[in-house]
PDB file of all heavy atoms in Angstrom:
ATOM      1  N   GLN A 229     -25.999  61.076 -35.223  1.00 81.00           N
ATOM      2  CA  GLN A 229     -25.050  62.100 -35.484  1.00 81.00           C
ATOM      3  C   GLN A 229     -25.644  63.512 -35.334  1.00 81.00           C
ATOM      4  O   GLN A 229     -25.027  64.481 -34.763  1.00 81.00           O
ATOM      5  CB  GLN A 229     -24.442  61.946 -36.842  1.00 81.00           C
ATOM      6  CG  GLN A 229     -23.293  63.025 -37.166  1.00 81.00           C
ATOM      7  CD  GLN A 229     -22.815  62.863 -38.562  1.00 81.00           C
ATOM      8  OE1 GLN A 229     -23.467  62.280 -39.472  1.00 81.00           O
ATOM      9  NE2 GLN A 229     -21.632  63.375 -38.802  1.00 81.00           N
ATOM     10  N   GLU A 230     -26.875  63.723 -35.873  1.00 92.00           N
ATOM     11  CA  GLU A 230     -27.470  65.049 -35.848  1.00 92.00           C
ATOM     12  C   GLU A 230     -28.971  64.878 -35.913  1.00 92.00           C
ATOM     13  O   GLU A 230     -29.536  63.979 -36.552  1.00 92.00           O
ATOM     14  CB  GLU A 230     -26.975  65.869 -36.946  1.00 92.00           C
ATOM     15  CG  GLU A 230     -27.322  67.287 -36.946  1.00 92.00           C
ATOM     16  CD  GLU A 230     -26.681  68.146 -38.024  1.00 92.00           C
ATOM     17  OE1 GLU A 230     -25.871  67.624 -38.747  1.00 92.00           O
ATOM     18  OE2 GLU A 230     -27.038  69.356 -38.156  1.00 92.00           O
ATOM     19  N   SER A 231     -29.673  65.798 -35.207  1.00 95.00           N
ATOM     20  CA  SER A 231     -31.162  65.871 -35.266  1.00 95.00           C
ATOM     21  C   SER A 231     -31.531  67.291 -35.688  1.00 95.00           C
ATOM     22  O   SER A 231     -31.046  68.197 -35.160  1.00 95.00           O
ATOM     23  CB  SER A 231     -31.792  65.606 -33.846  1.00 95.00           C
ATOM     24  OG  SER A 231     -31.461  64.210 -33.507  1.00 95.00           O
ATOM     25  N   ILE A 232     -32.435  67.368 -36.658  1.00 97.00           N
ATOM     26  CA  ILE A 232     -32.813  68.627 -37.187  1.00 97.00           C
ATOM     27  C   ILE A 232     -34.372  68.746 -37.153  1.00 97.00           C
ATOM     28  O   ILE A 232     -35.072  67.820 -37.636  1.00 97.00           O
ATOM     29  CB  ILE A 232     -32.373  68.854 -38.670  1.00 97.00           C
ATOM     30  CG1 ILE A 232     -30.859  68.672 -38.767  1.00 97.00           C
ATOM     31  CG2 ILE A 232     -32.771  70.170 -39.216  1.00 97.00           C
ATOM     32  CD1 ILE A 232     -30.301  68.667 -40.194  1.00 97.00           C
ATOM     33  N   GLU A 233     -34.825  69.781 -36.578  1.00 97.00           N
ATOM     34  CA  GLU A 233     -36.323  69.969 -36.446  1.00 97.00           C
ATOM     35  C   GLU A 233     -36.833  70.815 -37.638  1.00 97.00           C
ATOM     36  O   GLU A 233     -36.128  71.748 -38.079  1.00 97.00           O
ATOM     37  CB  GLU A 233     -36.701  70.710 -35.144  1.00 97.00           C
ATOM     38  CG  GLU A 233     -36.423  69.896 -33.930  1.00 97.00           C
ATOM     39  CD  GLU A 233     -36.837  70.509 -32.663  1.00 97.00           C
ATOM     40  OE1 GLU A 233     -37.211  71.751 -32.676  1.00 97.00           O
ATOM     41  OE2 GLU A 233     -36.985  69.888 -31.584  1.00 97.00           O
ATOM     42  N   VAL A 234     -37.934  70.425 -38.098  1.00 97.00           N
ATOM     43  CA  VAL A 234     -38.611  71.075 -39.270  1.00 97.00           C
ATOM     44  C   VAL A 234     -40.064  71.349 -38.903  1.00 97.00           C
ATOM     45  O   VAL A 234     -40.778  70.509 -38.366  1.00 97.00           O
ATOM     46  CB  VAL A 234     -38.549  70.305 -40.541  1.00 97.00           C
ATOM     47  CG1 VAL A 234     -39.220  70.970 -41.665  1.00 97.00           C
ATOM     48  CG2 VAL A 234     -37.062  69.941 -40.899  1.00 97.00           C
ATOM     49  N   PHE A 235     -40.590  72.553 -39.127  1.00 97.00           N
ATOM     50  CA  PHE A 235     -41.981  72.929 -38.995  1.00 97.00           C
ATOM     51  C   PHE A 235     -42.628  72.951 -40.347  1.00 97.00           C
ATOM     52  O   PHE A 235     -42.259  73.629 -41.219  1.00 97.00           O
ATOM     53  CB  PHE A 235     -42.082  74.308 -38.266  1.00 97.00           C
ATOM     54  CG  PHE A 235     -41.638  74.223 -36.851  1.00 97.00           C
ATOM     55  CD1 PHE A 235     -40.295  74.498 -36.501  1.00 97.00           C
ATOM     56  CD2 PHE A 235     -42.492  73.908 -35.840  1.00 97.00           C
ATOM     57  CE1 PHE A 235     -39.860  74.413 -35.162  1.00 97.00           C
ATOM     58  CE2 PHE A 235     -42.045  73.946 -34.484  1.00 97.00           C
ATOM     59  CZ  PHE A 235     -40.738  74.142 -34.192  1.00 97.00           C
ATOM     60  N   LEU A 236     -43.723  72.149 -40.504  1.00 97.00           N
ATOM     61  CA  LEU A 236     -44.353  71.950 -41.709  1.00 97.00           C
ATOM     62  C   LEU A 236     -45.191  73.188 -42.157  1.00 97.00           C
ATOM     63  O   LEU A 236     -45.604  73.924 -41.204  1.00 97.00           O
ATOM     64  CB  LEU A 236     -45.254  70.710 -41.718  1.00 97.00           C
ATOM     65  CG  LEU A 236     -44.565  69.419 -41.328  1.00 97.00           C
ATOM     66  CD1 LEU A 236     -45.469  68.286 -41.370  1.00 97.00           C
ATOM     67  CD2 LEU A 236     -43.320  69.147 -42.156  1.00 97.00           C
ATOM     68  N   SER A 237     -45.359  73.316 -43.378  1.00 96.00           N
ATOM     69  CA  SER A 237     -46.059  74.520 -43.945  1.00 96.00           C
ATOM     70  C   SER A 237     -47.131  74.035 -44.960  1.00 96.00           C
ATOM     71  O   SER A 237     -46.784  73.420 -45.934  1.00 96.00           O
ATOM     72  CB  SER A 237     -45.117  75.489 -44.625  1.00 96.00           C
ATOM     73  OG  SER A 237     -45.857  76.556 -45.264  1.00 96.00           O
ATOM     74  N   ILE A 238     -48.423  74.297 -44.578  1.00 94.00           N
ATOM     75  CA  ILE A 238     -49.524  73.873 -45.458  1.00 94.00           C
ATOM     76  C   ILE A 238     -50.225  75.138 -45.840  1.00 94.00           C
ATOM     77  O   ILE A 238     -50.664  76.008 -45.037  1.00 94.00           O
ATOM     78  CB  ILE A 238     -50.549  72.926 -44.774  1.00 94.00           C
ATOM     79  CG1 ILE A 238     -49.793  71.725 -44.228  1.00 94.00           C
ATOM     80  CG2 ILE A 238     -51.584  72.551 -45.711  1.00 94.00           C
ATOM     81  CD1 ILE A 238     -49.070  70.888 -45.224  1.00 94.00           C
ATOM     82  N   THR A 239     -50.287  75.401 -47.203  1.00 90.00           N
ATOM     83  CA  THR A 239     -50.957  76.684 -47.711  1.00 90.00           C
ATOM     84  C   THR A 239     -52.435  76.465 -47.814  1.00 90.00           C
ATOM     85  O   THR A 239     -52.943  75.285 -47.566  1.00 90.00           O
ATOM     86  CB  THR A 239     -50.371  76.936 -49.077  1.00 90.00           C
ATOM     87  OG1 THR A 239     -50.677  75.910 -49.949  1.00 90.00           O
ATOM     88  CG2 THR A 239     -48.853  77.189 -48.981  1.00 90.00           C
ATOM     89  N   CYS A 240     -53.236  77.533 -48.035  1.00 78.00           N
ATOM     90  CA  CYS A 240     -54.628  77.460 -48.138  1.00 78.00           C
ATOM     91  C   CYS A 240     -55.082  76.612 -49.328  1.00 78.00           C
ATOM     92  O   CYS A 240     -54.358  76.460 -50.283  1.00 78.00           O
ATOM     93  CB  CYS A 240     -55.245  78.863 -48.323  1.00 78.00           C
ATOM     94  SG  CYS A 240     -54.922  79.999 -46.857  1.00 78.00           S
ATOM     95  N   GLU A 241     -56.271  76.111 -49.178  1.00 62.00           N
ATOM     96  CA  GLU A 241     -56.720  75.217 -50.218  1.00 62.00           C
ATOM     97  C   GLU A 241     -56.979  76.040 -51.541  1.00 62.00           C
ATOM     98  O   GLU A 241     -57.358  77.184 -51.469  1.00 62.00           O
ATOM     99  CB  GLU A 241     -58.120  74.570 -49.902  1.00 62.00           C
ATOM    100  CG  GLU A 241     -57.977  73.619 -48.719  1.00 62.00           C
ATOM    101  CD  GLU A 241     -59.299  72.921 -48.425  1.00 62.00           C
ATOM    102  OE1 GLU A 241     -60.200  73.051 -49.244  1.00 62.00           O
ATOM    103  OE2 GLU A 241     -59.411  72.176 -47.394  1.00 62.00           O
ATOM    104  N   LYS A 242     -56.709  75.396 -52.584  1.00 53.00           N
ATOM    105  CA  LYS A 242     -56.881  76.098 -53.879  1.00 53.00           C
ATOM    106  C   LYS A 242     -58.319  75.987 -54.275  1.00 53.00           C
ATOM    107  O   LYS A 242     -58.936  74.924 -54.363  1.00 53.00           O
ATOM    108  CB  LYS A 242     -55.989  75.478 -54.968  1.00 53.00           C
ATOM    109  CG  LYS A 242     -54.520  75.635 -54.678  1.00 53.00           C
ATOM    110  CD  LYS A 242     -53.770  75.070 -55.891  1.00 53.00           C
ATOM    111  CE  LYS A 242     -52.273  75.361 -55.709  1.00 53.00           C
ATOM    112  NZ  LYS A 242     -51.483  74.751 -56.819  1.00 53.00           N
ATOM    113  N   SER A 243     -58.950  77.216 -54.627  1.00 48.00           N
ATOM    114  CA  SER A 243     -60.310  77.139 -55.169  1.00 48.00           C
ATOM    115  C   SER A 243     -60.228  76.768 -56.646  1.00 48.00           C
ATOM    116  O   SER A 243     -59.363  77.118 -57.337  1.00 48.00           O
ATOM    117  CB  SER A 243     -60.894  78.593 -55.041  1.00 48.00           C
ATOM    118  OG  SER A 243     -60.088  79.506 -55.760  1.00 48.00           O
ATOM    119  N   PRO A 244     -61.288  75.983 -56.995  1.00 50.00           N
ATOM    120  CA  PRO A 244     -61.254  75.504 -58.404  1.00 50.00           C
ATOM    121  C   PRO A 244     -61.292  76.696 -59.352  1.00 50.00           C
ATOM    122  O   PRO A 244     -62.169  77.476 -59.291  1.00 50.00           O
ATOM    123  CB  PRO A 244     -62.494  74.562 -58.472  1.00 50.00           C
ATOM    124  CG  PRO A 244     -63.356  75.088 -57.349  1.00 50.00           C
ATOM    125  CD  PRO A 244     -62.449  75.491 -56.283  1.00 50.00           C
ATOM    126  N   SER A 245     -60.425  76.722 -60.285  1.00 48.00           N
ATOM    127  CA  SER A 245     -60.409  77.833 -61.264  1.00 48.00           C
ATOM    128  C   SER A 245     -61.370  77.502 -62.401  1.00 48.00           C
ATOM    129  O   SER A 245     -61.501  76.401 -62.861  1.00 48.00           O
ATOM    130  CB  SER A 245     -58.932  77.950 -61.792  1.00 48.00           C
ATOM    131  OG  SER A 245     -58.526  76.826 -62.396  1.00 48.00           O
ATOM    132  N   ILE A 246     -62.093  78.591 -62.847  1.00 45.00           N
ATOM    133  CA  ILE A 246     -63.078  78.434 -63.972  1.00 45.00           C
ATOM    134  C   ILE A 246     -62.382  78.960 -65.270  1.00 45.00           C
ATOM    135  O   ILE A 246     -62.031  80.107 -65.310  1.00 45.00           O
ATOM    136  CB  ILE A 246     -64.319  79.217 -63.639  1.00 45.00           C
ATOM    137  CG1 ILE A 246     -64.966  78.689 -62.263  1.00 45.00           C
ATOM    138  CG2 ILE A 246     -65.261  79.081 -64.829  1.00 45.00           C
ATOM    139  CD1 ILE A 246     -66.161  79.431 -61.868  1.00 45.00           C
ATOM    140  N   HIS A 247     -62.314  78.122 -66.167  1.00 48.00           N
ATOM    141  CA  HIS A 247     -61.745  78.559 -67.480  1.00 48.00           C
ATOM    142  C   HIS A 247     -62.843  78.644 -68.552  1.00 48.00           C
ATOM    143  O   HIS A 247     -63.568  77.654 -68.771  1.00 48.00           O
ATOM    144  CB  HIS A 247     -60.750  77.504 -67.895  1.00 48.00           C
ATOM    145  CG  HIS A 247     -59.600  77.301 -67.051  1.00 48.00           C
ATOM    146  ND1 HIS A 247     -58.551  78.226 -66.985  1.00 48.00           N
ATOM    147  CD2 HIS A 247     -59.357  76.451 -66.082  1.00 48.00           C
ATOM    148  CE1 HIS A 247     -57.669  77.816 -66.075  1.00 48.00           C
ATOM    149  NE2 HIS A 247     -58.146  76.734 -65.521  1.00 48.00           N
TER     150      HIS A 247
END
Side-chain angles (χ1 to χ4, degrees):
Q229 182 182 21
E230 187 173 359
S231 296
I232 305 176
E233 292 184 349
V234 178
F235 291 89
L236 304 182
S237 175
I238 306 299
T239 60
C240 296
E241 294 186 8
K242 291 184 177 180
S243 58
S245 56
I246 300 176
H247 300 280

